[in-house]
Amino acid sequence: MPKPKTPSLGAALPSIIAILKHFWPYLRSQQRLLWTAFLALLAETAMRLLEPWPLKLMFDRVILPGFQVESSGIQDLGGLSPLVALTVLSVALVAAATLRGMFAYVSAVNMAVAATHVMTDIRSTLYSHIQRLSLSFHNQAKSGDLITRVTYDIERLREVTVVAALPLLTNVLTLLGMVGVMFWLNWELAVIAIAVLPLFLITTRHMSNKIQTVARRQRKREGAMAASAAEAIGAMQVVQALSLESMLEKSFAKQNQKSLKESAEAQRLRAGQERLVEVLVAIATALVLWRGVQLTLQGTVTPGDLLVFITYLKVAFKPMRQLAKYTGQIAKATASGERIIHLMQIEPDVQDLRGAIAAPAFRGEVRCEGVTFAYRPEQGILRNLSFTVAAGQQVAIVGPSGSGKSTLVSLLLRLYDPIEGRVLIDGHDLREYTLASLRPQISIVLQDSVLFAASVRDNIAYGNPHATDTDIIAAAQLANAHEFIEALPDGYDTQLGERGATLSGGQRQRLAIARAAIRDAAIVILDEPTSGLDNASEQVVTEALHRLTDNRTTFWISHDLCATQSADQILYIEQGQLWESGTHTDLMQLEGRYAHLYRLQNQPSSGWAIASNS
Ligand code: ADP
């Protein structure tokens, strides 16, 4: 397998610029913090450059005041006595270090706070953007990938700004400053000091690449380990039932061992790199001293100047070692930035059209005119469907599994738009209305209703954010749910487990019915709401459903043709086509597909299985 190369900062530069441009409005809102951070950073750099100067002056003006030099440097201490000068310089030494620390603190804190603000804003925007993206997008996107972008990618960008970009900037500025000062003091020594740089850059870069390759492999392995552990722990029942424990343990232990080896390898490489840097610093120091002492003896530079050189070398090499690491981190984090931007640039397929208006309160007449739909171009899920449903009618949608029944009702909610034809409510195309005014006017109960990890009260109120407590209780009563809710430990305030895991199937459905009822919508969609319930629960739920749908236009998808006999209109759909429509009596007289299916279901030996598999 080819080794992935660490992206270089140069190659990532266009992406970095694109990211900065895209996030500019967010950055601008934090201007004050960012400017403060930058100014503090400049001050910190200045202090770093100044740090060896008291020492230099002590040498040149206090210890060796008679030393004759031609070169630059501060020559005059303003006539202070040696002791006073020494004291002043000692204080200056402490002051420079303290100020440097303070400025570093101010810049780090401001930068961190700004980055956190920016990323929090971006995260909120991204989250609401994802929620607005169409189902056609979500059907294809991997939810894990989206979650990664909202959490990990954003966190990585934030972290890299603080732990890599800021130090990188500080180091680069410090290096430039030091090189400038060195040239100012003595160009020849400066050239010698800088001569080691290329060697240094090449070796550290090479080693950093190696370290990163190992580290990346290790991270990948850890990710795989976490995934397989999560999979096994999430399916413990199956694991134990199939006695897979020892097999899974073995494969986990193997991965774990490999991770250990890689971790040790990375540590070894890091330690090696540190030692190499020390040798390089020694070489540079030796070269500078070799020539520097000669120049000092010739009187071209002062001993203090030499001290400044040596100190700069020591100080400069340390952060340089991290340059490769920082640039690598930044370059890699640009991938995170790109992923976020890419997601943000996806436009929802289904969105308010220009000129969309708020829908008036619906009466509930629904008409489909030549509706054709497919999830993907090559498919044909619904073909040229046309029918009219009068306001308040009870409509049963029946037909074999996979024939397009759920797809049809999702078009009513405008979760998708038809490819051809149109869906009209009260004579108006759905697309004339805003989504925010359309969807709240339609209630829905699905086969497996999703409840959220919130209180029972909130779960019902999700149906209508303006609902009062009285509305919530009335809805629960309508849904045959009030009594069991009262019997829960905290009544309406009982917190539900994830996906309502703490309730029985029938109870969950009744909460879903309450949630649908509280909308008081003109149109109700029921997608096999009683499937999978035992007889007793089904009876209670069906009773609640009848109350919910009373006097409302209702689309009831069901496999149970007995339950739907009494519908005002039955739509028989197969392979995306509307084959027959009419009342039960009409369709039985027609002796077509519906009548055939009905007879199959009502033979003594038949039942659900035939209906759902036919
Ligand atoms: P029914 O409700 O009658 O069982 P559906 O409307 O759920 O049928 O599905 C109709 C067809 O559309 C099936 O072949 C199904 O595989 C396909 N389908 C359903 N949902 C999607 C989707 N989100 N993306 C792609 N194909 C889908």
Side-chain angles (χ1 to χ4, degrees), residues 107 277 288 335 428 474 489 604:
S107 93
V277 167
V288 168
H428 289 272

Side-chain angles (χ1 to χ4, degrees), residues 34 62 143 223 256 269 283 326 426 477 486 542 591 595:
L34 289 169
V62 183
S143 55
N256 208 4
L269 284 169
I283 293 175
Y326 291 149
D426 297 340
Q477 279 167 337
E486 291 276 80
T542 308
E591 284 295 342

Side-chain angles (χ1 to χ4, degrees), residues 542-554:
T542 308
E543 189 188 289
L545 285 171
H546 282 304
R547 261 184 257 152
L548 167 70
T549 56
D550 191 30
N551 265 329
R552 300 175 207 273
T553 310
T554 304

Side-chain angles (χ1 to χ4, degrees), residues 139 375-376 379 381 400-407 416:
N139 287 335
Y375 291 99
R376 283 186 296 275
Q379 289 175 315
I381 303 289
S401 281
S403 53
K405 305 182 293 290
S406 303
T407 306
Y416 307 93

Side-chain angles (χ1 to χ4, degrees), residues 33-43 107 110-111 166 169 173:
L33 288 173
L34 289 169
W35 271 114
T36 315
F38 184 67
L39 292 178
L41 189 145
L42 287 183
S107 93
N110 277 278
M111 190 69 183
L166 186 66
L169 196 60
L173 284 178

